[in-house]
Amino acid sequence: MKKVAYGKKWKMALGTACLTVAGMAALTGCSGSSSSSTSSDGTVELEILLADDTLEGGAMQAMVDKFNEEHADQGVQAYVNEIAYADMETQIKNRAQAGNLPALCKMSNFDTYVDYVLPLDDTSLDPEMFNRSGVRDGKLMATDINDTAVGMIINKTAFDAAGVSYPTTEEERWTWDEFVAAVKEVDEKNESITTPFVIDHSQQRSGTVLYHFGMQYFDPEDSTHIVFRSEDTKRGIEFFLSMFEDGGISRPSIGTGAENAQDVFKTGTVAAHLAGNWVITDYTDNITDFEWTPVLMPYEKEKSTSLGGNWFYAFDGTGVEEEAKDFLEWFYQPENYALYCETGNYLPGTNNVEVTYDVPGLDIFNMEIAASWDQPQYDTEVTEQEHSGESAGNALRDALDRAIAGELDADGVMDYVVKQHLDSLTGLHE
């Protein structure tokens, strides 16, 4: 990821944004008892609240075991409290009201609770080492624990049988027109292939294609200026829609989500799938009758991927703030953090660690992050920081669904998306 570009420019555009979500403003803070506490023998116990650690290889549990072994005689121990992801927000809100927040939390969101998050400015953690910025109101509030990224996965068996090459280096990267030609050729030369291309029914995945054509949501010099309506955006939309027309490379039922692209790819009847890196584990475990591999995505005007992921942060008022900060500093030491990423097959959220994976292809996703245009991350951070608690929903995905069905053209898609943003997000102008 081109960190310097968005790491400085977007901060100037955003200014300060430390928002309290309606409904939490009445909370009285985090004073009171905490489940992260001191045991009868004087040992400080740090609760780490998270979801899905078991499903992701027990990566955090492995780190807690390592931390506890190394700190056995230092009066501090950690433990994992793993709950269902659907219960995370409710539990945090309830525990905030009760003054019983955990020491640390891993979650995809922290802006909802930013008033209760512990600032980390007095730690050794450098905000510039993280791919996604957890800085709010000039303070480091949360750390990027793992990234997710959009990328391309191909049916390697079908490509090899057709004698069609695929890009694993920057020099080999396709344009989108070259990609269309490649998957059509694979389709023509393999009787088993019935669909050249599938894409998840996801705004993040369709948006990634449009970013390749130069789409922007917000002006890099003025985050209140929505610049979605542009010739670049229109070209991208028209190309996207062409994939689902007669003679295109996909079929409308997949573009609109009537069929699950991930499940369809696993049947072996698809040449390529635009997906997220999280499908790697599923494909490793469940595809046995053909070979697959991640490859570099096509580009048009820009090379780009859309980042998501989880944050790791401490709560204030728990009584164990110093120990929680010590845990975070220990966790992000390169040798420890690399172990976490390797155990969970995570894309690292920092730019200072090298990770060796047992599963194939994750390095391709890291290459995409390193090469990515800064605009997708800037747009995400404007939305998260300046419009916390507001949402334009899946405006782009919904408009594209209507366009695939023949209800809208490219101009209609842009009209719909711009109107949804102007109506839903305060302070914007076109």
Side-chain angles (χ1 to χ4, degrees), residues 253-428:
S253 58
I254 293 177
T256 58
E259 297 176 84
N260 182 286
Q262 186 171 334
D263 290 341
V264 174
F265 183 81
K266 288 190 291 185
T267 65
T269 62
V270 175
H273 177 202
L274 190 69
N277 65 281
W278 52 87
V279 304
I280 294 290
T281 300
D282 177 28
Y283 288 177
T284 300
D285 292 342
N286 296 309
I287 294 178
T288 59
D289 52 355
F290 66 93
E291 290 185 280
W292 54 271
T293 187
V295 299
L296 292 173
M297 284 186 290
Y299 77 103
E300 196 66 23
K301 184 177 181 180
E302 303 288 350
K303 300 170 184 176
S304 176
T305 189
S306 297
L307 290 183
N310 288 288
W311 303 99
F312 198 25
Y313 49 96
F315 282 113
D316 203 356
T318 61
V320 293
E321 292 90 344
E322 294 305 313
E323 291 84 357
K325 288 189 286 190
D326 289 344
F327 185 94
L328 287 169
E329 290 181 316
W330 174 88
F331 182 85
Y332 282 105
Q333 292 174 14
E335 64 275 18
N336 294 329
Y337 186 53
L339 175 62
Y340 174 77
C341 294
E342 289 166 0
T343 303
N345 291 322
Y346 293 124
L347 302 181
T350 71
N351 52 33
N352 65 346
V353 65
E354 292 187 6
V355 182
T356 302
Y357 299 105
D358 291 331
V359 298
L362 281 170
D363 288 338
I364 291 288
F365 286 89
N366 284 325
M367 290 172 64
E368 294 286 20
I369 293 173
S372 182
W373 187 30
D374 54 306
Q375 187 70 32
Q377 189 63 14
Y378 170 73
D379 287 339
T380 297
E381 290 173 346
V382 170
T383 302
E384 291 177 347
Q385 296 180 36
E386 294 197 0
H387 303 286
S388 178
E390 302 176 332
S391 173
N394 289 302
L396 176 60
R397 187 196 69 186
D398 295 344
L400 290 173
D401 284 354
R402 292 179 60 188
I404 291 170
E407 298 174 15
L408 297 175
D409 60 11
D411 287 319
V413 170
M414 291 191 291
D415 289 342
Y416 181 89
V417 172
V418 170
K419 185 178 187 302
Q420 288 296 110
H421 280 73
L422 293 176
D423 289 348
S424 305
L425 307 182
T426 58
L428 293 185

Side-chain angles (χ1 to χ4, degrees), residues 164-233:
V164 176
S165 62
Y166 39 86
T168 57
T169 67
E170 286 294 340
E171 294 74 21
E172 299 169 325
R173 194 187 287 263
W174 288 306
T175 65
W176 272 101
D177 285 343
E178 289 170 341
F179 168 78
V180 169
V183 294
K184 281 187 173 181
E185 184 176 354
V186 172
D187 178 35
E188 291 167 358
K189 294 182 177 180
N190 286 272
E191 291 184 359
S192 62
I193 300 298
T194 60
T195 305
F197 177 59
V198 294
I199 180 172
D200 295 344
H201 186 236
S202 160
Q203 184 159 283
Q204 188 192 49
R205 254 67 89 221
S206 56
T208 296
V209 176
L210 301 193
Y211 277 123
H212 292 153
F213 284 78
M215 176 191 74
Q216 297 173 296
Y217 278 97
F218 303 106
D219 184 343
E221 303 303 326
D222 177 5
S223 61
T224 68
H225 182 200
I226 185 166
V227 291
F228 182 83
R229 194 192 311 274
S230 71
E231 286 303 312
D232 287 336
T233 302

